[in-house]
Amino acid sequence: QVQLVESGGGSVQAGGSLRLSCAASGYTYRRDCMGWFRQAPGKERERVATYYNGDISTYYADSVKGRFTVSQNNAKNTLYLQMNSLKPEDTATYYCAADVYCTGAFSYWGQGTQVTVSS
């Protein structure tokens, strides 16, 4: 059973940093196609960053470019999101997701971790 467990969320002041982690387990499919999404209250879910094929192809939302960095450990069982220069508008629940067949469809999701940025 695929499990994705996020950690690392919390409350920080604007300008601060957080590093989110997503531990993946329970599957032997490809593990190098994953992503981070976020959803703020009253807003639609937004794709923040995706990490595909060993960093050959990464995507960042315009709103986070230059501030966030997505990476994966060598064992391909943990996905990270380093978030620097945080802004109040980054406040949201952040979710890790896995595209186990690397087709663009994220079929497995974590439970989410809350990030709150105060001004």
Side-chain angles (χ1 to χ4, degrees):
Q1 181 178 359
V2 177
Q3 284 192 318
L4 302 173
V5 180
E6 302 99 334
S7 61
S11 297
V12 295
Q13 290 190 329
S17 298
L18 284 173
R19 188 193 196 199
L20 304 185
S21 299
C22 171
S25 63
Y27 67 105
T28 57
Y29 314 127
R30 292 188 62 173
R31 297 184 178 184
D32 54 358
C33 297
M34 301 183 71
W36 288 98
F37 295 75
R38 67 186 181 187
Q39 188 165 22
K43 294 187 177 182
E44 293 187 354
R45 186 173 61 196
E46 174 188 20
R47 183 174 56 158
V48 176
T50 56
Y51 182 90
Y52 271 64
N53 301 318
D55 199 24
I56 293 175
S57 176
T58 57
Y59 162 87
Y60 295 97
D62 288 342
S63 57
V64 306
K65 279 181 182 177
R67 300 187 298 121
F68 290 13
T69 303
V70 63
S71 62
Q72 190 175 47
N73 68 342
N74 289 337
K76 297 183 178 180
N77 55 12
T78 305
L79 186 73
Y80 303 100
L81 185 67
Q82 178 67 45
M83 306 186 294
N84 299 327
S85 302
L86 283 162
K87 303 176 181 180
E89 50 264 42
D90 294 319
T91 295
T93 301
Y94 284 71
Y95 299 91
C96 171
D99 175 3
V100 297
Y101 297 112
C102 298
T103 60
F106 289 90
S107 50
Y108 294 96
W109 296 81
Q111 81 289 350
T113 185
Q114 178 66 36
V115 171
T116 302
V117 184
S118 59
S119 58

